[in-house]
Amino acid sequence: PFVKRVVFISTPHRGSFLTEDWVRKLTRAVVSSPANLIMNMSSKWHDISSQLKLPPEMRDEMPTAVDGMSSKSPVMAKVASLPLAPGITANSIIPVLPEMDIKSGNDGVVEYKSAHLEGVESEFIVRTDHSAQGHPLAIDEVRRILHRHCENLPNICADSLSQEAK
């Protein structure tokens, strides 16, 4: 109940194009889970996956973090369709590689169309790769958003703003 604003930076709301089937298969081949976890969860996963409407390629094995980032993930689709809770303001900082068209471009990991959300207070495009959080323009945008947020919460932020002004 205390959250009033969220700032999304490089957020793949609808998954990443890098999590295509071959990437998920490669990840499963290279990365393994602890044996005791697999033994405990495999029978439970079989029961759960038979009840869920998962794509066929996700039913046989317990999902990994890469599976969760797939644009085919029903969980990602459901979460992306959920509206923000009332009273929460959102801002997006979306990186797009410099040589690409914004609407059809990507940051090397996430496409603009996956990161874009309707109804945000602001959407700021940074011409960089997926690690936008370290880009000076993204940092300045976060600062701008936080100052705007503090204007709406003067009692909480007054000390911070006066310290920064000095």
Side-chain angles (χ1 to χ4, degrees):
F2 57 88
V3 174
K4 302 296 178 208
R5 181 178 300 272
V6 293
V7 179
F8 298 112
I9 304 174
S10 308
T11 305
H13 299 288
R14 292 167 198 85
S16 170
F17 66 90
L18 290 182
T19 58
E20 295 177 19
D21 293 339
W22 70 271
V23 174
R24 292 199 324 264
K25 288 175 185 171
L26 177 63
T27 301
R28 284 184 184 280
V30 175
V31 179
S32 63
S33 299
N36 61 345
L37 176 65
I38 292 171
M39 296 301 289
N40 290 335
M41 291 302 295
S42 61
S43 63
K44 292 176 186 174
W45 177 249
H46 181 70
D47 294 340
I48 292 168
S49 66
S50 64
Q51 296 171 21
L52 298 174
K53 296 177 181 176
L54 296 177
E57 65 273 11
M58 296 179 146
R59 291 183 190 161
D60 293 334
E61 298 180 56
M62 193 168 46
T64 65
V66 175
D67 294 319
M69 290 303 303
S70 170
S71 58
K72 295 178 182 178
S73 169
V75 174
M76 289 297 283
K78 181 65 175 173
V79 170
S81 72
L82 296 173
L84 288 171
I88 296 180
T89 302
N91 303 84
S92 288
I93 300 173
I94 302 174
V96 177
L97 292 170
E99 67 277 4
M100 295 186 156
D101 176 68
I102 291 172
K103 300 288 184 189
S104 62
N106 66 69
D107 63 12
V109 178
V110 177
E111 292 175 304
Y112 168 85
K113 66 183 180 184
S114 176
H116 172 76
L117 285 179
E118 294 294 329
V120 296
E121 180 183 66
S122 67
E123 179 178 278
F124 186 79
I125 306 299
V126 181
R127 294 310 208 136
T128 190
D129 62 17
H130 187 64
S131 297
Q133 71 279 357
H135 193 283
L137 293 175
I139 293 168
D140 284 346
E141 177 64 1
V142 170
R143 183 177 289 116
R144 184 197 69 78
I145 292 166
L146 292 175
H147 277 274
R148 180 172 172 83
H149 185 69
C150 284
E151 290 169 2
N152 297 324
L153 302 169
N155 294 335
I156 296 171
C157 299
D159 292 337
S160 298
L161 290 174
S162 64
Q163 288 294 329
E164 189 169 316
K166 292 178 184 178

